[in-house]
Amino acid sequence: MQRRWSSPRRWPPPNQEGLHARRTTPPGGDPRPAGALAGAALGGALLLLSGSAAADQYRRPAEPSVLADSATDLTQVVDAFDEVNDFDLHLSLTFKQSTRSAPIYRETSLAASGSTTGYISGDLDVANYSETTNRLIPAADIGLFRDIALRVRLPIILSNVRSLSARGASSSDPANPPPALAGLPGEQLFSVPFESPTRSGIEYLAIGLEVGLMNQYRQRARPTWVVGFEGRFNVSEPMRACNASAGDAAAAAERDVPLVACAHPSDVNRDGIADPNDDPARGPLEGNFSGTRRPGVSRGTTGLEAHTFVSKRIKYVEPYGGLRGLVELPTSSSDFGSASLGASHRPPVRGSLVVGTAIVPWEIRERHQRLVFDTRLRSTYVSTGRDYSELFDALGSSSAASLRAPRFAGHMPNLDASGRVDESNPSVVDPSSRRVYFTGLTEVQHHARFELSGQFTWQAGEYVKFDVGGAWHIVQGHIITFDRPCEQDGAAEVTLAGPCKQNVGSEEAPEWSPTGTPNPNYRTVINAPGNRFRVGTSHGLDAWIRASVMF
């Protein structure tokens, strides 16, 4: 809403009575004709009934335009076909750096050392997680009509670096892996320290629409109310689980083959070659693939974001608040497609509540100059869903057979020699069903995220603006391998329920009842209570600088 309306020398404008008050009696004392008074009254009534005339400020052809815009960027909408200019275009370029760190733990069912009462020790230390991301975000806002704008953004990740460092006794020893990293007996899930490859590329393409339903600078008695929608489209390689460290050298030596950094999920032995590995009963364990994969950078989803914000300028302050929500749908090219078999395995849904205040300590509206300090608090709820966790690369590139071997998506009736269903175990794995390979994506427990930010804005003139800001955020601790063996979104027939059934009869005469649908993504070594991984409370910092030009 970088409007260039013409205006008198002060804002807000005087009331209509003050603008049009006239002496009803001329200096000579003779009253004005009744017709003149009636005409003035009629003209005043028409002005009050006209929303545009009552809201827009009076101008003369020689008067300059003034700054008439919200102080917070959340309720600013570039518009067009306004009183003075027919077209507005804002271009901006933002550099943003984000850092985050968190401890990672693993549940345990081991008795505490020296305990004679069966006391179960607390979570085991696994690693310290750290992540640093540098982004360059070009954006364009194009005015379409009054208080209606098209917004286009293209976040580019210059570098994304993730790593795991030793925490406590988690340092790896291939000959004797610590319990925090152990899989099946004699198996190690991953090594610490661990390095992910550096990722870079286009994060997504965002195209959205901003609409101002109310505008305080057009109608002074009302607040500014903006609603918007944004589509986020995947235009680059989705993220793949990779191992850029030398932690698997021992596994490579044992197999006498080099292990690739970014193996296909169906490459069970991680050698980059599609081997038959035939199983007489189940067929080939490895899928059809060629070569290796790249680390990728995008989330591999199509997102729909919606938001609404309301603000009200009161002298030198402008408080505001609003809501924001994001829903993501996996694309067919991502690993979500090979892991998600139902709605319960979709990416998390995010909803945010935002409140803040913009303070304007200095402003010269005729010159389009001002200083703004914006403080903001944002709280976000993240639902349970399949996502890229802190252990995405470490688990997804594991050489452990308990994670590399496929699971089967379907079950079938267990028939005895006479062709009847075996009452003792009516359902078994269907070896002809779809094979589900572990990709590194895991079910992440619901959690909350809180962010406190501040931004300083200097608008140097009608066409140039600069922003610099920072934020501190905290993320609630949560389980990051939260898959359950049975999904409660529907119960299959007992002959198709696999392990998702219970005996409601007796041991001598079993009577089975299905309890859910089998989850082929479930892996006992990381998903069973006592084996699950959990990320502790994490802290992070963001810093950004932005330059904008406004036409």
Side-chain angles (χ1 to χ4, degrees):
M1 289 185 296
Q2 182 65 28
R3 300 183 182 82
R4 303 179 179 89
W5 297 342
S6 295
S7 169
R9 290 293 181 181
R10 57 194 178 97
W11 188 95
N15 56 38
Q16 303 298 335
E17 180 182 357
L19 283 172
H20 298 285
R22 295 290 188 270
R23 296 176 58 185
T24 58
T25 304
D30 295 330
R32 291 188 175 183
L37 292 176
L42 179 59
L46 290 175
L47 284 175
L48 291 175
L49 290 175
S50 171
S52 175
D56 290 351
Q57 301 170 10
Y58 283 88
R59 66 180 178 89
R60 298 189 182 110
E63 288 179 342
S65 63
V66 299
L67 176 61
D69 204 356
S70 175
T72 176
D73 53 5
L74 294 179
T75 53
Q76 293 176 1
V77 179
V78 176
D79 57 9
F81 299 102
D82 219 326
E83 192 172 271
V84 177
N85 61 312
D86 293 332
F87 179 74
D88 271 357
L89 171 64
H90 290 192
L91 301 176
S92 66
L93 185 64
T94 305
F95 174 77
K96 182 176 182 180
Q97 183 179 80
S98 303
T99 61
R100 185 167 70 92
S101 62
I104 298 178
Y105 307 100
R106 193 178 188 187
E107 296 176 345
T108 179
S109 56
L110 299 176
S113 177
S115 172
T116 58
T117 60
Y119 171 75
I120 303 300
S121 61
D123 292 344
L124 300 175
D125 288 328
V126 175
N128 288 318
Y129 173 81
S130 64
E131 179 180 4
T132 301
T133 305
N134 294 311
R135 287 181 176 89
L136 192 66
I137 311 174
D141 291 68
I142 305 169
L144 302 179
F145 198 66
R146 283 196 174 188
D147 299 327
I148 301 178
L150 176 69
R151 176 168 293 176
V152 181
R153 298 186 300 120
L154 190 68
I156 302 172
I157 294 181
L158 302 178
S159 64
N160 173 261
V161 180
R162 309 181 186 194
S163 64
L164 299 174
S165 59
R167 179 181 177 87
S170 66
S171 183
S172 300
D173 178 7
N176 185 26
L181 303 177
L184 295 178
E187 184 180 70
Q188 181 170 319
L189 297 179
F190 59 91
S191 302
V192 175
F194 182 93
E195 295 288 338
S196 299
T198 299
R199 293 179 165 93
S200 62
I202 298 175
E203 190 172 10
Y204 57 83
L205 169 64
I207 302 176
L209 189 69
E210 299 288 322
V211 180
L213 300 181
M214 294 183 185
N215 188 338
Q216 180 181 1
Y217 296 86
R218 296 188 189 276
Q219 296 171 308
R220 294 180 292 107
R222 297 182 179 182
T224 299
W225 179 17
V226 172
V227 298
F229 306 91
E230 182 180 79
R232 299 179 180 179
F233 305 99
N234 183 71
V235 294
S236 60
E237 183 89 9
M239 283 193 288
R240 317 292 192 183
C242 297
N243 183 353
S245 66
D248 277 337
E254 180 181 344
R255 288 185 169 88
D256 197 27
V257 293
L259 300 183
V260 299
C262 303
H264 286 265
S266 60
D267 186 2
V268 175
N269 58 8
R270 291 186 58 205
D271 63 353
I273 303 173
D275 304 316
N277 285 335
D278 291 341
D279 184 303
R282 300 182 178 182
L285 295 180
E286 291 199 346
N288 295 320
F289 61 89
S290 176
T292 64
R293 308 196 296 178
R294 293 183 296 178
V297 67
S298 72
R299 287 183 54 80
T301 62
T302 298
L304 176 61
E305 189 265 359
H307 56 265
T308 178
F309 297 103
V310 178
S311 69
K312 178 69 172 179
R313 176 76 179 268
I314 306 172
K315 294 186 177 180
Y316 300 105
V317 297
E318 186 169 344
Y320 59 88
L323 302 172
R324 187 189 298 271
L326 175 64
V327 177
E328 293 178 293
L329 299 176
T331 62
S332 58
S333 62
S334 71
D335 283 342
F336 283 101
S338 60
S340 300
L341 301 178
S344 59
H345 295 287
R346 300 259 174 84
V349 175
R350 291 172 168 82
S352 300
L353 171 66
V354 180
V355 294
T357 301
I359 303 172
V360 187
W362 176 81
E363 185 176 51
I364 302 178
R365 305 183 67 85
E366 293 84 354
R367 298 180 182 176
H368 294 262
Q369 296 178 335
R370 69 179 170 193
L371 299 178
V372 180
F373 182 68
D374 192 338
T375 58
R376 185 176 304 171
L377 176 63
R378 176 176 177 177
S379 59
T380 302
Y381 170 78
V382 183
S383 70
T384 299
R386 189 157 295 276
D387 208 354
Y388 301 93
S389 74
E390 289 77 1
L391 293 181
F392 166 67
D393 285 311
L395 292 175
S397 63
S398 173
S399 298
S402 57
L403 295 180
R404 302 300 300 182
R407 296 289 302 272
F408 293 88
H411 290 74
M412 64 181 187
N414 184 22
L415 305 180
D416 57 21
S418 63
R420 286 191 268 182
V421 176
D422 186 350
E423 295 296 335
S424 62
N425 183 23
S427 180
V428 293
V429 168
D430 181 1
S432 64
S433 63
R434 172 185 168 185
R435 289 167 173 77
V436 178
Y437 296 91
F438 184 68
T439 64
L441 290 167
T442 55
E443 200 79 1
V444 175
Q445 188 185 26
H446 60 272
H447 57 279
R449 183 182 189 275
F450 304 94
E451 178 181 285
L452 179 64
S453 64
Q455 177 175 283
F456 176 78
T457 300
W458 173 42
Q459 182 152 345
E462 186 173 358
Y463 302 106
V464 181
K465 182 172 66 174
F466 301 96
D467 303 284
V468 59
W472 170 75
H473 61 259
I474 181 172
V475 181
Q476 180 186 19
H478 54 279
I479 298 173
I480 56 177
T481 54
F482 199 54
D483 275 287
R484 291 155 291 186
C486 302
E487 298 297 335
Q488 306 301 319
D489 54 358
E493 296 181 14
V494 68
T495 56
L496 305 177
C500 303
K501 58 185 183 296
Q502 62 179 354
N503 185 5
V504 295
S506 62
E507 292 186 6
E508 296 77 13
E511 184 177 348
W512 299 99
S513 174
T515 58
T517 303
N519 176 15
N521 294 302
Y522 182 81
R523 306 278 173 157
T524 303
V525 293
I526 60 173
N527 297 133
N531 292 335
R532 298 180 298 189
F533 288 91
R534 179 177 67 86
V535 61
T537 300
S538 68
H539 301 265
L541 295 174
D542 298 336
W544 63 88
I545 184 170
R546 179 187 303 117
S548 304
V549 291
M550 302 165 288
F551 302 102

